[in-house]
Amino acid sequence: CCSAPGGKTTHLAELMDNSGRLIANDLHPHKRKLIEDQAERLGLTVVEAVSGDASDLASRYPGADFDVVLLDAPCSGFGVIRRKPEIKWTKSPEDIESIARLQQRLLDEAVKLVKPGGTFVYSTCTIEREENEAQMASFMQRHPSFVPDADWPQQVLAPLREAGVIGVDFSGAVQLLPQHFGSDGFFIARFKRAN
């Protein structure tokens, strides 16, 4: 969900060894072309780019049978502030509240796509707690069938441990800050659907 320009989509397709089916949705039809171009450039044939409101995906794909759903949610973008410094002057507290409401709506719809036993991943490029940790706490109250999943691949967990980003109490969510890996600020939370 919210897939353009397609970097995460194509990375996932590569991790899938270009087998299976990967549906990449973005709200804007012109951004669908960006996803298609990325996949074509890399020779990835499993990517099916679609456009439309992510809050309508459950009705477009009834049956809740996706193994994995990634919601790369619209956010305030405070995690990319070093590349886009104007963000600190263009965002207001009201913007954060509005974005958090949109995220909640998208979360409530996107999880309908996950099959029992499937995985749901929520990510943002912000460091704003209202959009990250608070959003996840609220999500778990509304969706008790989704439980935090700390069973991430070891090749992902090892560098996080080495950098001191996570400890033994890792519960399946991480807030990355620019100083950790010289990257932007990101939040990632992973859940399993129990039933």
Side-chain angles (χ1 to χ4, degrees):
C1 308
C2 314
S3 300
K8 292 179 187 78
T9 297
T10 54
H11 184 64
L12 288 170
E14 289 172 332
L15 290 173
M16 294 167 54
D17 292 326
N18 199 34
S19 64
R21 184 177 182 205
L22 197 157
I23 298 171
N25 182 79
D26 197 84
L27 176 63
H28 306 288
H30 70 278
K31 290 187 176 181
R32 176 177 153 186
K33 177 85 168 102
L34 297 173
I35 299 165
E36 291 170 339
D37 289 348
Q38 285 266 38
E40 183 178 337
R41 180 179 62 81
L42 295 169
L44 299 168
T45 57
V46 298
V47 175
E48 178 185 336
V50 298
S51 59
D53 191 331
S55 65
D56 295 333
L57 285 173
S59 62
R60 290 192 342 214
Y61 298 96
D65 61 353
F66 285 78
D67 294 313
V68 178
V69 173
L70 166 61
L71 172 58
D72 189 22
C75 67
S76 60
F78 289 130
V80 298
I81 204 163
R82 71 178 173 169
R83 289 187 296 115
K84 298 180 180 181
E86 70 278 5
I87 288 174
K88 57 186 158 189
W89 293 290
T90 60
K91 299 290 183 203
S92 69
E94 294 77 24
D95 291 332
I96 306 299
E97 292 170 14
S98 175
I99 290 168
R101 283 191 302 274
L102 171 61
Q103 291 168 340
Q104 181 176 329
R105 184 169 59 88
L106 292 174
L107 277 161
D108 290 344
E109 292 302 314
V111 296
K112 293 176 183 176
L113 298 166
V114 182
K115 73 178 187 180
T119 299
F120 178 69
V121 178
Y122 174 81
S123 70
T124 68
C125 62
T126 191
I127 57 173
E128 179 60 46
R129 292 185 60 80
E130 187 175 346
E131 299 175 67
N132 296 335
E133 294 89 352
Q135 189 71 269
M136 292 300 86
S138 175
F139 167 78
M140 288 187 291
Q141 288 179 343
R142 294 189 316 277
H143 300 280
S145 63
F146 284 85
V147 295
D149 182 8
D151 190 24
W152 294 23
Q154 285 306 309
Q155 67 265 30
V156 174
L157 293 176
L160 294 173
R161 283 192 191 102
E162 289 171 21
V165 177
I166 61 170
V168 292
D169 61 342
F170 176 64
S171 64
V174 64
Q175 175 71 72
L176 297 174
L177 300 173
Q179 68 268 21
H180 293 139
F181 299 103
S183 68
D184 292 326
F186 290 99
F187 178 81
I188 306 161
R190 178 172 156 163
F191 298 88
K192 278 284 186 199
R193 181 175 176 183
N195 54 36

mmCIF file with all atom_site columns, all heavy atoms in Angstrom, residues 114-136:
data_model
loop_
_atom_site.group_PDB
_atom_site.id
_atom_site.type_symbol
_atom_site.label_atom_id
_atom_site.label_alt_id
_atom_site.label_comp_id
_atom_site.label_asym_id
_atom_site.label_entity_id
_atom_site.label_seq_id
_atom_site.pdbx_PDB_ins_code
_atom_site.Cartn_x
_atom_site.Cartn_y
_atom_site.Cartn_z
_atom_site.occupancy
_atom_site.B_iso_or_equiv
_atom_site.pdbx_formal_charge
_atom_site.auth_seq_id
_atom_site.auth_comp_id
_atom_site.auth_asym_id
_atom_site.auth_atom_id
_atom_site.pdbx_PDB_model_num
ATOM 1   N N   . VAL A 1 114 ? -4.840 -9.288  5.155  1.00 0.00 ? 114 VAL A N   1
ATOM 2   C CA  . VAL A 1 114 ? -3.892 -10.282 5.665  1.00 0.00 ? 114 VAL A CA  1
ATOM 3   C C   . VAL A 1 114 ? -4.620 -11.563 6.047  1.00 0.00 ? 114 VAL A C   1
ATOM 4   O O   . VAL A 1 114 ? -5.564 -11.549 6.829  1.00 0.00 ? 114 VAL A O   1
ATOM 5   C CB  . VAL A 1 114 ? -3.129 -9.737  6.896  1.00 0.00 ? 114 VAL A CB  1
ATOM 6   C CG1 . VAL A 1 114 ? -2.111 -10.747 7.404  1.00 0.00 ? 114 VAL A CG1 1
ATOM 7   C CG2 . VAL A 1 114 ? -2.462 -8.411  6.572  1.00 0.00 ? 114 VAL A CG2 1
ATOM 8   N N   . LYS A 1 115 ? -4.142 -12.687 5.512  1.00 0.00 ? 115 LYS A N   1
ATOM 9   C CA  . LYS A 1 115 ? -4.764 -13.968 5.828  1.00 0.00 ? 115 LYS A CA  1
ATOM 10  C C   . LYS A 1 115 ? -4.350 -14.413 7.236  1.00 0.00 ? 115 LYS A C   1
ATOM 11  O O   . LYS A 1 115 ? -3.321 -13.971 7.755  1.00 0.00 ? 115 LYS A O   1
ATOM 12  C CB  . LYS A 1 115 ? -4.376 -15.018 4.798  1.00 0.00 ? 115 LYS A CB  1
ATOM 13  C CG  . LYS A 1 115 ? -2.951 -15.516 4.890  1.00 0.00 ? 115 LYS A CG  1
ATOM 14  C CD  . LYS A 1 115 ? -2.702 -16.588 3.842  1.00 0.00 ? 115 LYS A CD  1
ATOM 15  C CE  . LYS A 1 115 ? -1.340 -17.220 4.028  1.00 0.00 ? 115 LYS A CE  1
ATOM 16  N NZ  . LYS A 1 115 ? -1.088 -18.259 3.032  1.00 0.00 ? 115 LYS A NZ  1
ATOM 17  N N   . PRO A 1 116 ? -5.123 -15.300 7.872  1.00 0.00 ? 116 PRO A N   1
ATOM 18  C CA  . PRO A 1 116 ? -4.710 -15.835 9.170  1.00 0.00 ? 116 PRO A CA  1
ATOM 19  C C   . PRO A 1 116 ? -3.328 -16.473 9.056  1.00 0.00 ? 116 PRO A C   1
ATOM 20  O O   . PRO A 1 116 ? -3.035 -17.193 8.115  1.00 0.00 ? 116 PRO A O   1
ATOM 21  C CB  . PRO A 1 116 ? -5.792 -16.877 9.480  1.00 0.00 ? 116 PRO A CB  1
ATOM 22  C CG  . PRO A 1 116 ? -7.002 -16.368 8.748  1.00 0.00 ? 116 PRO A CG  1
ATOM 23  C CD  . PRO A 1 116 ? -6.455 -15.767 7.473  1.00 0.00 ? 116 PRO A CD  1
ATOM 24  N N   . GLY A 1 117 ? -2.459 -16.130 9.997  1.00 0.00 ? 117 GLY A N   1
ATOM 25  C CA  . GLY A 1 117 ? -1.085 -16.591 9.970  1.00 0.00 ? 117 GLY A CA  1
ATOM 26  C C   . GLY A 1 117 ? -0.177 -15.709 9.141  1.00 0.00 ? 117 GLY A C   1
ATOM 27  O O   . GLY A 1 117 ? 1.035  -15.901 9.118  1.00 0.00 ? 117 GLY A O   1
ATOM 28  N N   . GLY A 1 118 ? -0.762 -14.719 8.458  1.00 0.00 ? 118 GLY A N   1
ATOM 29  C CA  . GLY A 1 118 ? 0.006  -13.824 7.605  1.00 0.00 ? 118 GLY A CA  1
ATOM 30  C C   . GLY A 1 118 ? 0.702  -12.725 8.381  1.00 0.00 ? 118 GLY A C   1
ATOM 31  O O   . GLY A 1 118 ? 0.513  -12.562 9.596  1.00 0.00 ? 118 GLY A O   1
ATOM 32  N N   . THR A 1 119 ? 1.502  -11.964 7.654  1.00 0.00 ? 119 THR A N   1
ATOM 33  C CA  . THR A 1 119 ? 2.329  -10.915 8.242  1.00 0.00 ? 119 THR A CA  1
ATOM 34  C C   . THR A 1 119 ? 1.850  -9.546  7.782  1.00 0.00 ? 119 THR A C   1
ATOM 35  O O   . THR A 1 119 ? 1.510  -9.361  6.609  1.00 0.00 ? 119 THR A O   1
ATOM 36  C CB  . THR A 1 119 ? 3.799  -11.107 7.815  1.00 0.00 ? 119 THR A CB  1
ATOM 37  O OG1 . THR A 1 119 ? 4.246  -12.375 8.304  1.00 0.00 ? 119 THR A OG1 1
ATOM 38  C CG2 . THR A 1 119 ? 4.698  -10.011 8.367  1.00 0.00 ? 119 THR A CG2 1
ATOM 39  N N   . PHE A 1 120 ? 1.855  -8.602  8.706  1.00 0.00 ? 120 PHE A N   1
ATOM 40  C CA  . PHE A 1 120 ? 1.522  -7.211  8.398  1.00 0.00 ? 120 PHE A CA  1
ATOM 41  C C   . PHE A 1 120 ? 2.686  -6.336  8.851  1.00 0.00 ? 120 PHE A C   1
ATOM 42  O O   . PHE A 1 120 ? 3.165  -6.475  9.976  1.00 0.00 ? 120 PHE A O   1
ATOM 43  C CB  . PHE A 1 120 ? 0.242  -6.780  9.113  1.00 0.00 ? 120 PHE A CB  1
ATOM 44  C CG  . PHE A 1 120 ? -0.122 -5.341  8.864  1.00 0.00 ? 120 PHE A CG  1
ATOM 45  C CD1 . PHE A 1 120 ? -0.541 -4.929  7.615  1.00 0.00 ? 120 PHE A CD1 1
ATOM 46  C CD2 . PHE A 1 120 ? -0.014 -4.404  9.875  1.00 0.00 ? 120 PHE A CD2 1
ATOM 47  C CE1 . PHE A 1 120 ? -0.856 -3.598  7.377  1.00 0.00 ? 120 PHE A CE1 1
ATOM 48  C CE2 . PHE A 1 120 ? -0.329 -3.076  9.647  1.00 0.00 ? 120 PHE A CE2 1
ATOM 49  C CZ  . PHE A 1 120 ? -0.752 -2.670  8.393  1.00 0.00 ? 120 PHE A CZ  1
ATOM 50  N N   . VAL A 1 121 ? 3.164  -5.465  7.950  1.00 0.00 ? 121 VAL A N   1
ATOM 51  C CA  . VAL A 1 121 ? 4.264  -4.559  8.272  1.00 0.00 ? 121 VAL A CA  1
ATOM 52  C C   . VAL A 1 121 ? 3.787  -3.130  8.067  1.00 0.00 ? 121 VAL A C   1
ATOM 53  O O   . VAL A 1 121 ? 3.202  -2.803  7.027  1.00 0.00 ? 121 VAL A O   1
ATOM 54  C CB  . VAL A 1 121 ? 5.507  -4.840  7.390  1.00 0.00 ? 121 VAL A CB  1
ATOM 55  C CG1 . VAL A 1 121 ? 6.630  -3.851  7.704  1.00 0.00 ? 121 VAL A CG1 1
ATOM 56  C CG2 . VAL A 1 121 ? 5.989  -6.274  7.578  1.00 0.00 ? 121 VAL A CG2 1
ATOM 57  N N   . TYR A 1 122 ? 4.049  -2.301  9.057  1.00 0.00 ? 122 TYR A N   1
ATOM 58  C CA  . TYR A 1 122 ? 3.718  -0.874  9.017  1.00 0.00 ? 122 TYR A CA  1
ATOM 59  C C   . TYR A 1 122 ? 5.026  -0.110  9.044  1.00 0.00 ? 122 TYR A C   1
ATOM 60  O O   . TYR A 1 122 ? 5.891  -0.388  9.879  1.00 0.00 ? 122 TYR A O   1
ATOM 61  C CB  . TYR A 1 122 ? 2.870  -0.514  10.235 1.00 0.00 ? 122 TYR A CB  1
ATOM 62  C CG  . TYR A 1 122 ? 2.583  0.963   10.399 1.00 0.00 ? 122 TYR A CG  1
ATOM 63  C CD1 . TYR A 1 122 ? 1.566  1.583   9.675  1.00 0.00 ? 122 TYR A CD1 1
ATOM 64  C CD2 . TYR A 1 122 ? 3.311  1.741   11.285 1.00 0.00 ? 122 TYR A CD2 1
ATOM 65  C CE1 . TYR A 1 122 ? 1.295  2.938   9.832  1.00 0.00 ? 122 TYR A CE1 1
ATOM 66  C CE2 . TYR A 1 122 ? 3.048  3.093   11.463 1.00 0.00 ? 122 TYR A CE2 1
ATOM 67  C CZ  . TYR A 1 122 ? 2.030  3.675   10.728 1.00 0.00 ? 122 TYR A CZ  1
ATOM 68  O OH  . TYR A 1 122 ? 1.766  5.015   10.898 1.00 0.00 ? 122 TYR A OH  1
ATOM 69  N N   . SER A 1 123 ? 5.184  0.839   8.119  1.00 0.00 ? 123 SER A N   1
ATOM 70  C CA  . SER A 1 123 ? 6.407  1.637   8.129  1.00 0.00 ? 123 SER A CA  1
ATOM 71  C C   . SER A 1 123 ? 6.097  3.091   7.819  1.00 0.00 ? 123 SER A C   1
ATOM 72  O O   . SER A 1 123 ? 5.123  3.404   7.133  1.00 0.00 ? 123 SER A O   1
ATOM 73  C CB  . SER A 1 123 ? 7.422  1.087   7.115  1.00 0.00 ? 123 SER A CB  1
ATOM 74  O OG  . SER A 1 123 ? 6.994  1.329   5.789  1.00 0.00 ? 123 SER A OG  1
ATOM 75  N N   . THR A 1 124 ? 6.960  3.959   8.357  1.00 0.00 ? 124 THR A N   1
ATOM 76  C CA  . THR A 1 124 ? 6.889  5.397   8.059  1.00 0.00 ? 124 THR A CA  1
ATOM 77  C C   . THR A 1 124 ? 8.319  5.922   7.943  1.00 0.00 ? 124 THR A C   1
ATOM 78  O O   . THR A 1 124 ? 9.266  5.272   8.387  1.00 0.00 ? 124 THR A O   1
ATOM 79  C CB  . THR A 1 124 ? 6.185  6.202   9.176  1.00 0.00 ? 124 THR A CB  1
ATOM 80  O OG1 . THR A 1 124 ? 7.007  6.201   10.346 1.00 0.00 ? 124 THR A OG1 1
ATOM 81  C CG2 . THR A 1 124 ? 4.798  5.664   9.499  1.00 0.00 ? 124 THR A CG2 1
ATOM 82  N N   . CYS A 1 125 ? 8.442  7.110   7.380  1.00 0.00 ? 125 CYS A N   1
ATOM 83  C CA  . CYS A 1 125 ? 9.750  7.784   7.349  1.00 0.00 ? 125 CYS A CA  1
ATOM 84  C C   . CYS A 1 125 ? 9.700  8.999   8.268  1.00 0.00 ? 125 CYS A C   1
ATOM 85  O O   . CYS A 1 125 ? 10.140 10.084  7.918  1.00 0.00 ? 125 CYS A O   1
ATOM 86  C CB  . CYS A 1 125 ? 10.155 8.167   5.920  1.00 0.00 ? 125 CYS A CB  1
ATOM 87  S SG  . CYS A 1 125 ? 9.037  9.339   5.122  1.00 0.00 ? 125 CYS A SG  1
ATOM 88  N N   . THR A 1 126 ? 9.156  8.772   9.457  1.00 0.00 ? 126 THR A N   1
ATOM 89  C CA  . THR A 1 126 ? 9.081  9.843   10.441 1.00 0.00 ? 126 THR A CA  1
ATOM 90  C C   . THR A 1 126 ? 9.574  9.349   11.796 1.00 0.00 ? 126 THR A C   1
ATOM 91  O O   . THR A 1 126 ? 9.709  8.143   12.021 1.00 0.00 ? 126 THR A O   1
ATOM 92  C CB  . THR A 1 126 ? 7.651  10.403  10.562 1.00 0.00 ? 126 THR A CB  1
ATOM 93  O OG1 . THR A 1 126 ? 7.685  11.612  11.333 1.00 0.00 ? 126 THR A OG1 1
ATOM 94  C CG2 . THR A 1 126 ? 6.693  9.420   11.205 1.00 0.00 ? 126 THR A CG2 1
ATOM 95  N N   . ILE A 1 127 ? 9.833  10.300  12.682 1.00 0.00 ? 127 ILE A N   1
ATOM 96  C CA  . ILE A 1 127 ? 10.229 9.975   14.052 1.00 0.00 ? 127 ILE A CA  1
ATOM 97  C C   . ILE A 1 127 ? 9.158  10.440  15.037 1.00 0.00 ? 127 ILE A C   1
ATOM 98  O O   . ILE A 1 127 ? 9.361  10.396  16.247 1.00 0.00 ? 127 ILE A O   1
ATOM 99  C CB  . ILE A 1 127 ? 11.600 10.610  14.391 1.00 0.00 ? 127 ILE A CB  1
ATOM 100 C CG1 . ILE A 1 127 ? 11.565 12.122  14.178 1.00 0.00 ? 127 ILE A CG1 1
ATOM 101 C CG2 . ILE A 1 127 ? 12.702 9.965   13.561 1.00 0.00 ? 127 ILE A CG2 1
ATOM 102 C CD1 . ILE A 1 127 ? 12.803 12.860  14.631 1.00 0.00 ? 127 ILE A CD1 1
ATOM 103 N N   . GLU A 1 128 ? 8.017  10.856  14.518 1.00 0.00 ? 128 GLU A N   1
ATOM 104 C CA  . GLU A 1 128 ? 6.914  11.385  15.327 1.00 0.00 ? 128 GLU A CA  1
ATOM 105 C C   . GLU A 1 128 ? 6.190  10.233  16.042 1.00 0.00 ? 128 GLU A C   1
ATOM 106 O O   . GLU A 1 128 ? 5.610  9.362   15.400 1.00 0.00 ? 128 GLU A O   1
ATOM 107 C CB  . GLU A 1 128 ? 5.953  12.162  14.421 1.00 0.00 ? 128 GLU A CB  1
ATOM 108 C CG  . GLU A 1 128 ? 4.752  12.739  15.109 1.00 0.00 ? 128 GLU A CG  1
ATOM 109 C CD  . GLU A 1 128 ? 5.118  13.721  16.204 1.00 0.00 ? 128 GLU A CD  1
ATOM 110 O OE1 . GLU A 1 128 ? 5.971  14.591  15.974 1.00 0.00 ? 128 GLU A OE1 1
ATOM 111 O OE2 . GLU A 1 128 ? 4.523  13.621  17.301 1.00 0.00 ? 128 GLU A OE2 1
ATOM 112 N N   . ARG A 1 129 ? 6.208  10.253  17.376 1.00 0.00 ? 129 ARG A N   1
ATOM 113 C CA  . ARG A 1 129 ? 5.614  9.171   18.172 1.00 0.00 ? 129 ARG A CA  1
ATOM 114 C C   . ARG A 1 129 ? 4.133  8.973   17.874 1.00 0.00 ? 129 ARG A C   1
ATOM 115 O O   . ARG A 1 129 ? 3.644  7.848   17.872 1.00 0.00 ? 129 ARG A O   1
ATOM 116 C CB  . ARG A 1 129 ? 5.822  9.435   19.663 1.00 0.00 ? 129 ARG A CB  1
ATOM 117 C CG  . ARG A 1 129 ? 7.285  9.323   20.088 1.00 0.00 ? 129 ARG A CG  1
ATOM 118 C CD  . ARG A 1 129 ? 7.466  9.470   21.587 1.00 0.00 ? 129 ARG A CD  1
ATOM 119 N NE  . ARG A 1 129 ? 6.757  8.461   22.348 1.00 0.00 ? 129 ARG A NE  1
ATOM 120 C CZ  . ARG A 1 129 ? 7.184  7.210   22.541 1.00 0.00 ? 129 ARG A CZ  1
ATOM 121 N NH1 . ARG A 1 129 ? 8.310  6.819   22.023 1.00 0.00 ? 129 ARG A NH1 1
ATOM 122 N NH2 . ARG A 1 129 ? 6.477  6.361   23.246 1.00 0.00 ? 129 ARG A NH2 1
ATOM 123 N N   . GLU A 1 130 ? 3.407  10.053  17.640 1.00 0.00 ? 130 GLU A N   1
ATOM 124 C CA  . GLU A 1 130 ? 1.969  9.936   17.368 1.00 0.00 ? 130 GLU A CA  1
ATOM 125 C C   . GLU A 1 130 ? 1.703  9.107   16.118 1.00 0.00 ? 130 GLU A C   1
ATOM 126 O O   . GLU A 1 130 ? 0.686  8.428   16.013 1.00 0.00 ? 130 GLU A O   1
ATOM 127 C CB  . GLU A 1 130 ? 1.344  11.328  17.214 1.00 0.00 ? 130 GLU A CB  1
ATOM 128 C CG  . GLU A 1 130 ? -0.160 11.301  17.088 1.00 0.00 ? 130 GLU A CG  1
ATOM 129 C CD  . GLU A 1 130 ? -0.775 12.686  17.070 1.00 0.00 ? 130 GLU A CD  1
ATOM 130 O OE1 . GLU A 1 130 ? -0.088 13.668  17.409 1.00 0.00 ? 130 GLU A OE1 1
ATOM 131 O OE2 . GLU A 1 130 ? -1.958 12.785  16.712 1.00 0.00 ? 130 GLU A OE2 1
ATOM 132 N N   . GLU A 1 131 ? 2.636  9.131   15.186 1.00 0.00 ? 131 GLU A N   1
ATOM 133 C CA  . GLU A 1 131 ? 2.482  8.386   13.937 1.00 0.00 ? 131 GLU A CA  1
ATOM 134 C C   . GLU A 1 131 ? 3.109  6.993   14.021 1.00 0.00 ? 131 GLU A C   1
ATOM 135 O O   . GLU A 1 131 ? 2.878  6.174   13.131 1.00 0.00 ? 131 GLU A O   1
ATOM 136 C CB  . GLU A 1 131 ? 3.145  9.146   12.790 1.00 0.00 ? 131 GLU A CB  1
ATOM 137 C CG  . GLU A 1 131 ? 2.550  10.510  12.535 1.00 0.00 ? 131 GLU A CG  1
ATOM 138 C CD  . GLU A 1 131 ? 3.313  11.252  11.471 1.00 0.00 ? 131 GLU A CD  1
ATOM 139 O OE1 . GLU A 1 131 ? 3.263  10.802  10.307 1.00 0.00 ? 131 GLU A OE1 1
ATOM 140 O OE2 . GLU A 1 131 ? 3.974  12.253  11.811 1.00 0.00 ? 131 GLU A OE2 1
ATOM 141 N N   . ASN A 1 132 ? 3.871  6.739   15.050 1.00 0.00 ? 132 ASN A N   1
ATOM 142 C CA  . ASN A 1 132 ? 4.605  5.484   15.164 1.00 0.00 ? 132 ASN A CA  1
ATOM 143 C C   . ASN A 1 132 ? 4.168  4.690   16.387 1.00 0.00 ? 132 ASN A C   1
ATOM 144 O O   . ASN A 1 132 ? 3.212  3.926   16.321 1.00 0.00 ? 132 ASN A O   1
ATOM 145 C CB  . ASN A 1 132 ? 6.115  5.759   15.180 1.00 0.00 ? 132 ASN A CB  1
ATOM 146 C CG  . ASN A 1 132 ? 6.596  6.360   13.874 1.00 0.00 ? 132 ASN A CG  1
ATOM 147 O OD1 . ASN A 1 132 ? 5.972  6.172   12.830 1.00 0.00 ? 132 ASN A OD1 1
ATOM 148 N ND2 . ASN A 1 132 ? 7.701  7.075   13.918 1.00 0.00 ? 132 ASN A ND2 1
ATOM 149 N N   . GLU A 1 133 ? 4.847  4.864   17.505 1.00 0.00 ? 133 GLU A N   1
ATOM 150 C CA  . GLU A 1 133 ? 4.562  4.060   18.695 1.00 0.00 ? 133 GLU A CA  1
ATOM 151 C C   . GLU A 1 133 ? 3.115  4.215   19.172 1.00 0.00 ? 133 GLU A C   1
ATOM 152 O O   . GLU A 1 133 ? 2.453  3.211   19.488 1.00 0.00 ? 133 GLU A O   1
ATOM 153 C CB  . GLU A 1 133 ? 5.533  4.412   19.838 1.00 0.00 ? 133 GLU A CB  1
ATOM 154 C CG  . GLU A 1 133 ? 6.972  4.055   19.554 1.00 0.00 ? 133 GLU A CG  1
ATOM 155 C CD  . GLU A 1 133 ? 7.753  5.169   18.853 1.00 0.00 ? 133 GLU A CD  1
ATOM 156 O OE1 . GLU A 1 133 ? 7.139  6.180   18.438 1.00 0.00 ? 133 GLU A OE1 1
ATOM 157 O OE2 . GLU A 1 133 ? 8.976  5.016   18.720 1.00 0.00 ? 133 GLU A OE2 1
ATOM 158 N N   . ALA A 1 134 ? 2.615  5.433   19.236 1.00 0.00 ? 134 ALA A N   1
ATOM 159 C CA  . ALA A 1 134 ? 1.235  5.642   19.680 1.00 0.00 ? 134 ALA A CA  1
ATOM 160 C C   . ALA A 1 134 ? 0.250  5.044   18.676 1.00 0.00 ? 134 ALA A C   1
ATOM 161 O O   . ALA A 1 134 ? -0.779 4.471   19.064 1.00 0.00 ? 134 ALA A O   1
ATOM 162 C CB  . ALA A 1 134 ? 0.953  7.128   19.888 1.00 0.00 ? 134 ALA A CB  1
ATOM 163 N N   . GLN A 1 135 ? 0.581  5.156   17.411 1.00 0.00 ? 135 GLN A N   1
ATOM 164 C CA  . GLN A 1 135 ? -0.272 4.580   16.370 1.00 0.00 ? 135 GLN A CA  1
ATOM 165 C C   . GLN A 1 135 ? -0.347 3.058   16.514 1.00 0.00 ? 135 GLN A C   1
ATOM 166 O O   . GLN A 1 135 ? -1.404 2.453   16.378 1.00 0.00 ? 135 GLN A O   1
ATOM 167 C CB  . GLN A 1 135 ? 0.281  4.966   14.990 1.00 0.00 ? 135 GLN A CB  1
ATOM 168 C CG  . GLN A 1 135 ? -0.618 4.632   13.834 1.00 0.00 ? 135 GLN A CG  1
ATOM 169 C CD  . GLN A 1 135 ? -1.836 5.505   13.754 1.00 0.00 ? 135 GLN A CD  1
ATOM 170 O OE1 . GLN A 1 135 ? -2.871 5.156   14.315 1.00 0.00 ? 135 GLN A OE1 1
ATOM 171 N NE2 . GLN A 1 135 ? -1.740 6.617   13.071 1.00 0.00 ? 135 GLN A NE2 1
ATOM 172 N N   . MET A 1 136 ? 0.796  2.439   16.827 1.00 0.00 ? 136 MET A N   1
ATOM 173 C CA  . MET A 1 136 ? 0.830  0.988   16.980 1.00 0.00 ? 136 MET A CA  1
ATOM 174 C C   . MET A 1 136 ? 0.096  0.529   18.238 1.00 0.00 ? 136 MET A C   1
ATOM 175 O O   . MET A 1 136 ? -0.580 -0.502  18.235 1.00 0.00 ? 136 MET A O   1
ATOM 176 C CB  . MET A 1 136 ? 2.279  0.473   16.987 1.00 0.00 ? 136 MET A CB  1
ATOM 177 C CG  . MET A 1 136 ? 2.991  0.627   15.662 1.00 0.00 ? 136 MET A CG  1
ATOM 178 S SD  . MET A 1 136 ? 2.218  -0.248  14.259 1.00 0.00 ? 136 MET A SD  1
ATOM 179 C CE  . MET A 1 136 ? 1.003  0.922   13.658 1.00 0.00 ? 136 MET A CE  1
#
